[in-house]
Each structure stands twice: as C-alpha cells, then as structure tokens.
Amino acid sequence: MTLQFLKELQNELEREITFQGDSAIYYSYYKDMLKAPSFERGVYELTHNNKTVSLKTINAVQQMSLYPELIASVLYQATGSNEIIEPVYFYIGIVFGLQGIYVTALFVTSWLMSGTWLAGMLTVAWFIINRFCYLLMSASTYTFMMMWEYSHYLLFLQAISLFLLDSFSLEQSDKVHEVYKIYIFSLFLGYLLQFENSALLVSPLLSLVVALMLAKCLQVKKGTFIAKIMKVINFYLVCTLTVTLNIIMKMFVPHKEHGHMLKFLEVKFGLNMTKNFTMNWLLCQESLQAPSRAFFLRLTQSSVLPFYTLVLIICFFSMLQVIFRRINGKSLKETVTLEDGRIGERPEIIYHVIHTILLGSLAMVIEGLKYLWTPYVCMLAAFGVCSPELWMTLFKWLRLRTVHPVLLALILSMAVPTIIGLSLWKEFFPRLMTELTELQEFYDPDTVELMTWIKRQAPVAAVFAGSPQLMGAIKLCTGWMVTSLPLYNDDDLLKRNENIYQIYSKRSAEDIYKILTSYKTNYLIVEDAICNEVGTTRGCRVKDLLDIANGHVVCEEGDKLTYSKYGRFCHEVKINYSPYVNYFTRVYWNRSYFVYKINTVISFQS
C-alpha cells in the first residue's frame, strides 16, 4: 500500500513538471482552490496570498485573472469529478474545451460571412461574431475581459476597426455606437468585479470609446460639404481626445504604471538603446521576437497563407474602391447582389479586413501574437475561397467573358474548398494520427529528484531562490514559498527576477548573499543549464545580458571584457572555498541542479 501511494505521488509529480513557466503558476492556484476547505476560503486566500512570494502579499485573482481557474475548481467539485478523474486531466480537459468553443466561434463566423457551412469546416481544418446581438455581445465581451488581463488591448484594436468603419460611413453609426456602449458597460463592470482593477480605467480602450461618444455630438447631417469637412475634424478630434483623456485618467486614477512595457516597445522598435538586463532579457524571449521562417513555412505548406493573401488582397482593394466612392459622395447599395462583384461593400468584410491587418502588423514584430492572428488567417482564407462574391469580384476586375462569371464563381466556391479539404486530409491526417500514436511521456528525472528532495528535506517555511521558470515549477509541485515568479506584468517581480539572476553574474559572494537575504531566502538553486549556457543566440544568454548590464562587457568596443576581480558566482560557489563556503553550504546536487543553504551564522574561519 505504501509503495503504491509513493508511486502515485511520483506519477503526479512527473505530470506536474510538464507545466512550464506561467502555466505552472496558474495550475498551482487551481490546486490550491481544490485543497481549500471551502470556495469562499479558497478565494480569500488567493486574494490575500502571502504564501507564494516572500515578503509580498498579492491579490492573485486580480493580478493574474484567475477566473478560469476558479470556475474549473468549482466545476470539478460540483460535478463529482473528483471521484472519476484526476485534477490535472480535468484541468487539461477544460483548456481543450475552451479551445473547442473558440474553434466553434470561428466555424460560425466563417459560415455567416460566406453563407456556406463548407467555409466553417475549412476554418476548423486549418485551425487544428458578426451578428450584433446586444445581450450575447455584452456577455461575451465581459467574459473575455474577465478571463485575460490583456483583453482590453485587443478590444482596443476592435474599437479602432469600428471607428474606421464609421468614419467612412460604411456602417450605420447607431449600430457602431451600440457596440461602444457594450465596451463601456463591460469595462466598468469588470472594474467593479475585478477588485477595482484600475488598469481598466486607464486603458486606451476606455479613453477611445469616451472620445468617440463625445465626438458624436459634433457630427452634422450627412451629404453636405460641411459634413465632409467635419469628418476630417472628427478624426483629428477623436485622436486628440483619446490621448488627452488617457493622460488625465492616469493623473487622477491610482494605478500601477507598467513602465517596463513602454521602455520595451521603445527598444523593440529601435527608438532607444539600453543595457538594462530586464529589457534585453525580454527582447531575447522567443515569444517577443519576430516570427521565424518556420512559422510562415508551416502556414504555406498547409496552403492557408497563399489563399489568405489572395483573399486579403481582393477584399482590401475592393474595400478601397468602396471608400473612394464614399469620399466622392456616392451612396452604398442597400442590397449587394452576386452579379455586382463588390465584396468590399459588405460592412462585416471591411471590419474583418481592418482587424486582420492590425493583428497581422503586430504579429509581424511579436511572435507571441501569432496565436491571435493565425485564427483570423484561417477564418478569412476559408471564407474567401468559399464565397462566390469574392470570385465574382475577381472576375469583374479581370473582365472575364469566355465563361459566364456567375456560374464559374459558384463552381469555384464549391470546388476549391473541396479540393483543399481533400488535399489536407490526404497529407496531414495520416501525419496527425502518427503523432497521436507516438505520444511519449515527459521525462526529466533530475527535476523530479529535486522536487522530491524539497518535499522530503526542506522545512515547510523555507523560501527558495532561482530562475523564475524553476520557481514556478517549485510553487506548483511542492507548494513552498519562492522569491520570484515567471510573470512579466509586474514591475516588482521583474526587478526581483533581475536581482536573483545575479547568481549567474560576476559578483562577489557577499553581494549575492545580501541580495538573497533581503528576500528572506533559505535555499538557493543554481541551474547548470543556465550557468554553462552555450546553445542560445549570442548576446541572449543570461550571463551575457548580466555582464552587459553590470558593465563587464562593453558592446561598443567589440564585446571586449572589462576587468572584474570576481569570477562568475555560479562557477565559483561549486568549488567550495572561502569566502563562498562562509555564506553558502551545498546540501543537494544532481546533474542539473545544485542546492545551497543560506548560512544564518557566517563563519570566516578557513
């Protein structure tokens, strides 16, 4: 019985270490909710959490938008799943379920845009709401805002798309302003229910929507020369008001200023240079770099990128034709027929074209945003190839006369997606089945051994220091307190990460000791993979970034090393000589990790 229990604990530990980075933190809070004696007590402990980061009490629900984890914990216990399935599998099932809802939304959107279910099927294949229903939109917008802390930035892009749509009189102004009201309602409801989250009040979304509502009061009757002049003034007024309101809100609303985000963008776009460790470390993160060639190659091999490009070009130029006609005073047709070949006159098409261009522009500079842009690529490509209107628009430009264009457009809208679907099935389905049958278990014995040692040997009140990624795993697998977390939306945590990373710099034992004791650290974990890092891009290794920030490397002089009387701490501490042994005592090690106990009584005897 004891051996069976230990085996189950070992299996659970091996499953949990598969959660990497911030995902480990989110799952650890889900586990905390399941362990709580009641839901109310669990929520209270998360909102007044002082057991995660040393010397810091955080509202984890607000800071990390833990509402999905709260809902998952309630569902797990309310449905009696604790008697049927293990927590980790239920959590993963919830994640896949949310992804399924997302794919379903793409299916429905593509179907509504093209008028055929084939487009929806093709969207789902490539990916493995355009009716203005006030209640549904309000609920979905508010839910989205509650589930993701950066959602208001994406909604800001949506608001810009709607603003441009309204500026060129391509959609009924009243309908667009109904959506603006939904944004305001969702922002203020989110503010109240997210523990008065001031980030929503100082968000650019609120400033833009308020500016748009104010600017509406100055609009005059359409069709006059003055109205055209007012459109230009209105555009300038909205931009000015948005910036002004945002500045005013930040002056009077107490909020945490994420200065590192602005500095990061300045450096990212070449507007500034810095030797700051945190900024350069963020720039070196793969998710914050430009997309790799492999990403575009993968989209091209699956045929989605070529068709997306074709559809986007046709829709974009058709949209420009419509805009020029509106500028010249021509009105839009109330009903656009297939024979007209004007796909750009449909407001929903114009909205999605503008939105995908905005998302695509951001995804071209930050790879992590490809997860927002790629679904749009799939949806727009599937809609286009299944839409007779798109083919008819193309044939109108080509002035096709040999074959009846309407008949050919109808044939292509059925034949092309069918051919694409069959080719995807033939090429990718066998590959997918092979991958599913060859699923391998994640195997990391060194990390498992480390977590096992911590749970068996370290005191419950111990505080651990190390890389933020490893600290996230320790918080999840053991529940012990740590000095930092792999989160990038908190200035204090970023500063902690920079300070703890000094264990891989050329600093004295005394300096490192002072840094660690300032966070009440009891144990230090040195990772051999970071200390002896050789595989990453030159200049992006942690020790390189630290040397630049600490002045031990001068980039302008050809990476010439400047003098440092101390060796690299992570190397020197392993040798076990004074003064390092005076401050640190090695208590555990394996091939990947070295654990040192921080001495409370310092002895300088040789």
Side-chain angles (χ1 to χ4, degrees), residues 514-531:
K514 288 180 179 178
I515 291 173
L516 296 175
T517 53
S518 69
Y519 296 121
K520 303 297 182 182
T521 307
N522 301 115
Y523 292 92
L524 166 67
I525 303 178
V526 175
E527 297 174 63
D528 200 57
I530 300 178
C531 190

Side-chain angles (χ1 to χ4, degrees), residues 513 579 582-583 599-605:
Y513 181 83
N582 303 323
Y583 296 102
N599 296 335
T600 54
V601 178
I602 304 174
S603 172
F604 288 92
Q605 296 178 0

